[in-house]
Amino acid sequence: MDIDGILVVDKPVGPTSHDVVAIVRRLSGARRVGHGGTLDPFAAGVLPVFLGQGTRMVEYHLRDDKSYRAVMVFGARSTTDDIDGELTPTDAPSPTRDAIEEALAGFVGTIEQRPPDYSAVRIAGRHAYELARHGQTPDIKPRIVTFHEIRLVEWDERDPERPAATVDLRCSAGTYVRSLARDAGDHLGTGAYLGALVRTSSGPFRRDEAHPLDRVRELLGEGRIGELLLPVDTGLDAWPAVHVDPTDLASLVRGQVVRARGVSLPAPGPDGQVRVMAPDGRLAAMARLDGGRLHPEKVLIGPTAVAATGGA
């Protein structure tokens, strides 16, 4: 079945990102389904799911910033840096709210961060978590990440042995919030782990516009999933839209390089690319703009579809 678009799911705690993709694939019958950024089973929130031609747009979202609400629990360390790991309490004094805010402020900006031992980072062809499960300490290299904002929104010290900080943050792709909790605890000498995590946005996709998994199941079962789908180029505003002559569009979707005629070409977006639109407003292709010529990079419709939309 051909279903093209983006489905923004509000993933609950429990299922993996792969589980959500499997549900959508099974109930929709779509041949191609993928997601835009893994969420751990204990985490909830925004999970963009790409269907059909939408899967070809995933690469344009790989650099999207993410926003989270995280609960960091102090007073213990975790083997997995989160609540699912084996906890080892520390005997350090409980930190103060001021100390937490000062520590978190030190992580704002571009920093080196070491991913958790229990992560999907590959080392010599194996996942780090596979090595960790066998008692080995993975040799994980730090990566460069950026925290644009970290803000303490609540400090709960009702349990003096396990005080918790609720934090809102925005960060670059590839950042581990588990590592932030671990590193903040190490900085304070108290230890810390991630107690809960909700992704509130992933690039242009926001939680207040996401659909609960039960609602997704319901509409999939009724064959009404189209009511929830976003166009495949949603969130690609960084790549300017170009409308070309119908004859040129027909040539472009055949894989030919064309010189755009009679149109004003904008400055291209990232990687020198633009969105080439069909007459009906659909995304026809992603093309590289070079010297006034459009070089097709990804073609999403064929010549027949161009004609059907009012083109050549």
Side-chain angles (χ1 to χ4, degrees):
M1 181 183 299
D2 292 327
I3 302 178
D4 303 319
I6 303 171
L7 174 63
V8 186
V9 178
D10 187 355
K11 188 189 92 65
V13 172
T16 65
S17 299
H18 178 75
D19 291 337
V20 174
V21 167
I23 289 169
V24 173
R25 179 183 290 113
R26 175 171 55 84
L27 294 180
S28 69
R31 291 187 291 269
R32 291 174 293 168
V33 184
H35 66 77
T38 301
L39 278 175
D40 291 328
F42 84 95
V46 176
L47 181 68
V49 177
F50 298 81
L51 295 89
Q53 294 282 24
T55 60
R56 304 180 66 196
M57 297 295 106
V58 173
E59 70 173 84
Y60 296 97
H61 293 281
L62 293 180
R63 291 174 285 191
D64 284 349
D65 287 345
K66 309 291 193 297
S67 296
Y68 297 92
R69 171 158 288 191
V71 177
M72 302 177 185
V73 183
F74 294 82
R77 293 183 172 88
S78 167
T79 53
T80 59
D81 300 328
D82 61 38
I83 196 171
D84 288 338
E86 181 180 342
L87 302 181
T88 302
T90 62
D91 56 6
S94 177
T96 65
R97 181 186 183 112
D98 288 345
I100 295 291
E101 290 186 315
E102 182 179 353
L104 292 175
F107 293 97
V108 175
T110 299
I111 63 171
E112 281 194 346
Q113 182 189 71
R114 184 182 184 278
D117 288 346
Y118 285 81
S119 65
V121 174
R122 286 191 174 273
I123 302 169
R126 299 182 66 186
H127 291 297
Y129 64 75
E130 295 175 322
L131 300 173
R133 286 172 181 169
H134 288 86
Q136 303 179 46
T137 300
D139 182 19
I140 304 178
K141 305 300 182 187
R143 59 176 61 179
I144 301 298
V145 302
T146 300
F147 286 99
H148 303 288
E149 178 185 14
I150 305 175
R151 183 169 61 92
L152 178 63
V153 295
E154 184 179 347
W155 175 237
D156 183 354
E157 50 186 349
R158 287 173 294 180
D159 181 352
E161 295 184 357
R162 291 286 192 278
T166 300
V167 175
D168 284 347
L169 61 93
R170 183 167 61 89
C171 58
S172 60
T175 301
Y176 282 90
V177 184
R178 284 185 286 154
S179 293
L180 174 64
R182 176 200 66 206
D183 294 344
D186 288 346
H187 177 80
L188 292 165
T190 63
Y193 59 90
L194 195 60
L197 184 67
V198 176
R199 185 153 66 196
T200 53
S201 72
S202 177
F205 309 113
R206 300 172 57 84
R207 196 184 190 199
D208 57 8
E209 300 170 344
H211 305 287
L213 186 56
D214 286 345
R215 177 64 171 162
V216 171
R217 289 178 187 268
E218 177 186 348
L219 292 194
L220 280 169
E222 297 174 358
R224 297 166 52 201
I225 197 61
E227 297 177 19
L228 305 183
L229 288 180
L230 299 173
V232 297
D233 62 336
T234 299
L236 299 187
D237 295 339
W239 289 265
V242 173
H243 298 267
V244 298
D245 177 275
T247 301
D248 288 337
L249 179 60
S251 297
L252 186 78
V253 301
R254 290 189 179 94
Q256 300 172 19
V257 177
V258 301
R259 179 178 291 279
R261 298 172 294 177
V263 297
S264 177
L265 293 174
D271 302 319
Q273 294 187 27
V274 296
R275 288 177 291 144
V276 182
M277 311 305 292
D280 65 356
R282 280 190 295 164
L283 178 65
M286 297 295 294
R288 178 170 50 85
L289 179 58
D290 184 11
R293 294 180 180 274
L294 293 168
H295 301 251
E297 299 281 341
K298 287 183 184 290
V299 174
L300 281 78
I301 66 174
T304 301
V306 172
T309 61

